[in-house]
Amino acid sequence: TDLYSGALFVQVCLGWDLYLSTVLMLVVTGLYTIAGGLAAVIYTDALQTLIMVLGAIVLAVKAFNEIGGYPNLEEAYLKAVPSKIVPNTTCHLPRADAMHLFRDPVSGDLPWTGMTFGLSIMATWYWCTDQVIVQRSLSAKSLSHAKAGSILASYLKMLPLFVIIMPGMISRVLYPGKGRNADVGLAG
């Protein structure tokens, strides 16, 4: 998935073939990993995290300024309808509970019980047994560095709602005809 998304980014930005972009991603990653070892991977991760978090924060601030803050988002999102829709369906309409984090356990598409208990199990698996996360923790200089890294990661995991999800909701309000789904005639 990481290779595909990186290669897709290179293809879109530079117009290169997807397979060429994939091979390029593999070669560059292999070279700096072999040449620099685990330290090169860690520094690359840290730099990428900094770039992505700062970019997402700038985007979120600009988006919230454009729409006029959270209260305006809440009101405008529930009225947002794409310019192109699938006729005779309601899938293009925002759900009435779209702005609620804890949704009804019976009628909600993401019931609070599943989100609370189901995601807790999945998060515990990911953060405690996933090989990538465990490898990063084991590569820390000391136990205090490993703990600090885990705490920093937990704080960063709170950001996506504000810097990814909400700017996406704002884009639905501000640019109803610009989404990929609108271009192909599908509803979001």
Side-chain angles (χ1 to χ4, degrees):
T1 304
D2 292 337
L3 279 174
Y4 175 73
S5 61
L8 190 60
F9 177 78
V10 171
Q11 180 192 31
V12 169
C13 290
L14 302 177
W16 294 0
D17 178 66
L18 186 65
Y19 294 107
L20 175 64
S21 301
T22 304
V23 170
L24 176 70
M25 296 288 295
L26 282 169
V27 169
V28 169
T29 303
L31 286 175
Y32 82 73
T33 302
I34 292 168
L38 186 58
V41 174
I42 292 170
Y43 286 123
T44 303
D45 270 358
L47 180 63
Q48 288 174 346
T49 299
L50 184 67
I51 291 168
M52 287 188 291
V53 168
L54 290 177
I57 289 171
V58 167
L59 174 68
V61 168
K62 291 181 89 161
F64 275 104
N65 283 339
E66 186 77 22
I67 201 161
Y70 181 79
N72 289 349
L73 168 62
E74 192 170 7
E75 181 182 331
Y77 183 77
L78 293 175
K79 297 175 186 172
V81 177
S83 61
K84 295 181 183 178
I85 62 170
V86 176
N88 302 320
T89 66
T90 59
C91 65
H92 59 277
L93 299 173
R95 291 178 51 96
D97 62 355
M99 301 304 288
H100 298 278
L101 191 57
F102 293 106
R103 297 183 180 174
D104 188 85
V106 177
S107 64
D109 61 337
L110 299 168
W112 73 266
T113 49
M115 295 294 287
T116 304
F117 301 115
L119 284 180
S120 297
I121 293 166
M122 191 170 70
T124 301
W125 163 80
Y126 179 76
W127 289 105
C128 298
T129 64
D130 183 67
Q131 187 244 349
V132 173
I133 302 300
V134 172
Q135 186 178 13
R136 287 178 175 151
S137 297
L138 291 175
S139 68
K141 290 181 180 180
S142 66
L143 185 58
S144 61
H145 280 125
K147 289 178 183 179
S150 296
I151 291 170
L152 174 63
S154 69
Y155 282 121
L156 291 175
K157 288 305 271 181
M158 289 188 257
L159 289 177
L161 175 65
F162 305 104
V163 300
I164 297 172
I165 304 295
M166 289 185 181
M169 295 168 76
I170 292 170
S171 72
R172 179 183 171 118
V173 173
L174 297 177
Y175 309 104
K178 300 289 184 191
R180 189 192 107 202
N181 291 338
D183 293 338
V184 294
L186 300 175

